[in-house]
Amino acid sequence: MTDLSVTDTIALAAEKMRAAGQSEEALSAFSSALTRLENGAQTLLPTRELEPVPDVPGLHDLPAADAADALAAVAVIKLNGGLATSMGLREPKSLIEARQGITFLDIIVGRILAQRAAAEVRLPLVLMNSTATREATLAALARHPELPTDGLELDFLQSMVPKLEADSHRPVSWPPDPHLEWCPPGHGDVYAALRGSGMLAALRAAGFRYAMISNADNLGATADPRIAAHLAREQIPFLMEVVRGTAADRKGGHLARRADGRLVLRETAQTPPEDEASFRDYEHWRYYNTNSIWVDLDRLEEVLDSPGGLELPVIVNHKTVDPRDKGSTPVLQLEAAMGAAIGSFPGARLIEVPRTRFAPVKTTDDLLVLRSDAYRLTDAFEVLPADPERLALVELDSRFYKLIDQFEARFPGGAPSLAEAERLTVHGDYTFAAEVAVRGAVELADRGAPIVVPAGTILTPDGEVGDGG
């Protein structure tokens, strides 16, 4: 194979992206990432170069705010590019039922409309879709003709970038399925996609100064007037919501400071192997990214226009071109994290938020908790824990519950009551009939055969199945 110069490698990638109709903003961001990779830029963040972030203010420390004033110039952007493939589906994750026949998207829309009505604000909802999610999502949004506002489109498309051959870094070719030659560049693409699609200009032209950006699968992430007022009052260009670390966050991205005082987000893929133990020390690093950020759109435009633009740290993921075939061509996927932009905004801030604002649904374990009585859905479409001090941790046997059809089949009567549960760990194949309740910390052992938990059973720590009487 002929060695290519850095310039030739970038030119091949740019040619492929232009032919696929990708925006110049996306092309520029990818070319920058590839140039830094080819030139040997540091892609790992060693612990020795970082220190923990000191105490940050909490949401509870912020004064009350008038919602009408605070939200007048705010837009809500939801990242909606993912399919529920990890749960065995090929549909947008936001179209999965969250509670009692209501989808994630229904709740997101309902919350936006409720806030609009209560505060008498415009509060647009804009989705960053992918080509895989756009059609189905827009069809679902057609049920809400009142949603569009100020002539803004309801969505814009995330970018697609070429996977690179691991040895040569040239764009990979895979004739058996050309779609597999492409990958999303991580949710850090939101900035380039916002401008490349024209959505950034449209929002600013309509008078929107701030955007709250979060994942569609995190129903706790809503536009809080206190945070919006805090941004305007303190003239904060970029703010990240963080939570205090727990054992469950050990694999998540944490915040740190460099020697020069700049904030930095460190993800698992940016950690050297020798620092893995340090990375998992959640008590040391303390604050973890919720992937909910607030950004001043005027300042974002300035950063994008600055020399070098918005250069997010490159995350290099090693994969195979066909993820289902480990013998297929090894590739690199260049990605960026949305929160990593914090290092590009002088004056960026953090704010600690309660866990009620950070409850992403990544697995059927999370989905079971969300569907249970551990949460309640208010008339204003707020998803709130029934008891903020007690939220059950669920661990279901992946052999029988990982895929959504397996999961649904084993809870035919709906989710068990988890309001008084601390933990539910299931080993083996259990089917739960209606009105089962879990109290305390319960672990069900693998019986080696399918087991049905009868209707009305109360599961307790004292026995595998306690009789509810």
Side-chain angles (χ1 to χ4, degrees), residues 278-362:
S278 170
F279 184 86
R280 293 193 297 270
D281 187 351
Y282 63 90
E283 293 180 338
H284 179 74
W285 297 109
R286 303 179 67 188
Y287 297 110
Y288 283 74
N289 177 27
T290 66
N291 221 38
S292 294
I293 63 119
W294 298 68
V295 63
D296 181 327
L297 297 177
D298 289 352
R299 295 292 298 277
L300 174 59
E301 184 81 28
E302 292 173 7
V303 170
L304 289 170
D305 282 337
S306 65
L310 181 61
E311 288 195 347
L312 301 180
V314 182
I315 299 174
V316 181
N317 280 314
H318 296 262
K319 308 278 187 178
T320 54
V321 64
D322 184 345
R324 297 161 299 183
D325 180 2
K326 300 306 180 184
S328 60
T329 305
V331 296
L332 305 181
Q333 295 182 192
L334 305 190
E335 301 179 9
M338 177 173 70
I342 198 167
S344 298
F345 287 84
R349 305 272 190 90
L350 305 176
I351 188 162
E352 183 181 350
V353 299
R355 289 274 165 173
T356 53
R357 291 186 63 80
F358 183 49
V361 175
K362 302 301 182 185

Side-chain angles (χ1 to χ4, degrees), residues 40-193:
Q42 180 179 346
T43 60
L44 300 179
L45 296 171
T47 294
R48 66 178 181 276
E49 298 179 6
L50 305 173
E51 59 184 30
V53 176
D55 290 339
V56 302
L59 179 58
H60 62 276
D61 296 322
L62 299 184
D66 179 78
D69 289 338
L71 298 179
V74 173
V76 173
I77 298 173
K78 290 288 185 179
L79 308 182
N80 190 57
L83 299 174
T85 51
S86 64
M87 299 183 192
L89 293 179
R90 298 292 298 176
E91 67 174 345
K93 192 175 182 181
S94 61
L95 299 186
I96 292 177
E97 178 184 320
R99 291 181 63 85
Q100 292 93 38
I102 303 173
T103 68
F104 284 81
L105 189 61
D106 290 333
I107 293 174
I108 291 168
V109 171
R111 182 64 187 142
I112 289 288
L113 296 179
Q115 287 187 284
R116 281 186 192 174
E120 297 183 345
V121 290
R122 297 177 292 170
L123 197 64
L125 172 65
V126 180
L127 304 178
M128 184 170 82
N129 279 319
S130 64
T131 53
T133 63
R134 179 175 236 176
E135 183 177 357
T137 300
L138 292 181
L141 288 180
R143 301 197 301 268
H144 304 281
E146 70 278 37
L147 187 60
T149 185
D150 289 310
L152 294 169
E153 298 291 335
L154 291 175
D155 81 327
F156 61 99
L157 276 178
Q158 70 180 35
S159 310
M160 295 295 290
V161 299
K163 298 177 183 177
L164 306 174
E165 294 178 354
D167 54 356
S168 70
H169 294 183
R170 71 171 70 208
V172 72
S173 176
W174 194 248
D177 187 352
H179 288 95
L180 294 177
E181 297 172 6
W182 298 87
C183 64
H187 38 64
D189 173 59
V190 65
Y191 309 109

Side-chain angles (χ1 to χ4, degrees), residues 9-10 12-14 17 24-36 160-164 169 171 183 185 192 314 332-335:
T9 302
I10 293 171
L12 283 175
M17 289 182 69
E24 290 299 312
E25 289 289 337
L27 191 152
S28 176
F30 183 73
S31 295
S32 171
L34 182 53
T35 299
R36 284 177 281 148
M160 295 295 290
V161 299
K163 298 177 183 177
L164 306 174
H169 294 183
C183 64
V314 182
L332 305 181
Q333 295 182 192
L334 305 190
E335 301 179 9

